[in-house]
Amino acid sequence: MVERGMLLREGYWLFCMLFFFLSVSCQKEKMVFSDKESTKSIKAANNTGVIIEISPEQLHQLLKDDPNLLLIDIRTEAELSGDLPKLKQAVHIDKDVIYGNPDTIPKGKTIAIMCRSGHRSGKLARFLQDNGRIIYELKGGLKNYYEIKHEIKK
C-alpha cells in the first residue's frame, strides 16, 4: 500500500510539473508550417501575438491568396537596390521606425516581414509579437527567397 500511495504522489507531482511547463511555454508562440493550407488557418487575433515562419513558397501563396497582405521589407535604404532587390509587392519601412512606434503597422492587415537573411526580421517579429501582433516572417530572408527562386527556374 505504501508503494501505491508513493506512486500516486509522484504521478501527481509529475502531472503538476508538466501542466506548469506547458502553461508557461504556451504564453508566446512561434509556429513553423510546412504546408500551404496551414498559412490560411492562422487568422484569429489574440493578445499574446504569434510568429509564423514561412518559406518562400508560402510567401508566394500568401501573395496570391491574401489581398489584405502587407509585405514589409525592413532592410536599409542602401540594401534595397543591391544584389537582392526589393520585391515589387513589398513596402519599405525602416525597422527603427517600427521599433519607435509599433502602430506604424496598421492593425487588421496580414503582416509579413523580411530582411536580407532573416536575423533582423526575426528580432522585429519577436518585438511585434510582444505587442500582440500576428506576424508572418520569411524564413532565411531574401537570400533564401532568391536562392529558392533560382533553383525553381533551373
Side-chain angles (χ1 to χ4, degrees):
M1 191 62 129
V2 173
E3 289 181 72
R4 180 176 160 85
M6 195 167 152
L7 286 174
L8 286 174
R9 275 186 295 204
E10 287 177 2
Y12 174 76
W13 283 110
L14 185 62
F15 173 78
C16 289
M17 287 175 49
L18 180 63
F19 179 78
F20 172 76
F21 286 117
L22 287 176
S23 64
V24 169
S25 67
C26 289
Q27 288 179 0
K28 297 206 188 247
E29 298 178 50
K30 184 171 187 176
M31 299 179 177
V32 179
F33 291 114
S34 60
D35 66 329
K36 295 176 191 172
E37 289 301 312
S38 55
T39 59
K40 296 178 188 176
S41 66
I42 303 293
K43 295 291 180 188
N46 60 36
N47 292 333
T48 59
V50 178
I51 299 171
I52 305 162
E53 284 186 338
I54 57 173
S55 68
E57 297 87 358
Q58 290 169 315
L59 177 60
H60 276 291
Q61 197 65 41
L62 272 175
L63 288 167
K64 280 188 351 186
D65 295 344
D66 193 341
N68 199 37
L69 179 67
L70 176 59
L71 181 59
I72 303 172
D73 190 329
I74 64 164
R75 297 177 296 159
T76 64
E77 198 70 44
E79 289 177 287
L80 297 177
S81 59
D83 61 331
L84 302 172
K86 181 175 86 63
L87 300 179
K88 67 179 180 181
Q89 304 94 326
V91 297
H92 175 251
I93 303 177
D94 190 282
K95 66 180 175 42
D96 294 329
V97 171
I98 299 170
Y99 280 121
N101 183 8
D103 290 332
T104 303
I105 298 177
K107 293 187 178 178
K109 287 277 204 188
T110 304
I111 306 297
I113 59 174
M114 62 188 170
C115 66
R116 180 178 177 84
S117 65
H119 182 73
R120 289 172 286 180
S121 60
K123 282 184 174 181
L124 184 60
R126 287 186 291 282
F127 171 77
L128 292 169
Q129 176 188 25
D130 290 343
N131 283 277
R133 300 299 186 94
I134 297 173
I135 301 294
Y136 290 93
E137 187 217 350
L138 181 60
K139 187 176 182 178
L142 284 167
K143 280 176 84 173
N144 185 38
Y145 176 87
Y146 281 110
E147 284 174 10
I148 296 220
K149 187 176 177 185
H150 182 69
E151 288 173 14
I152 291 171
K153 284 184 177 181
K154 283 185 177 179

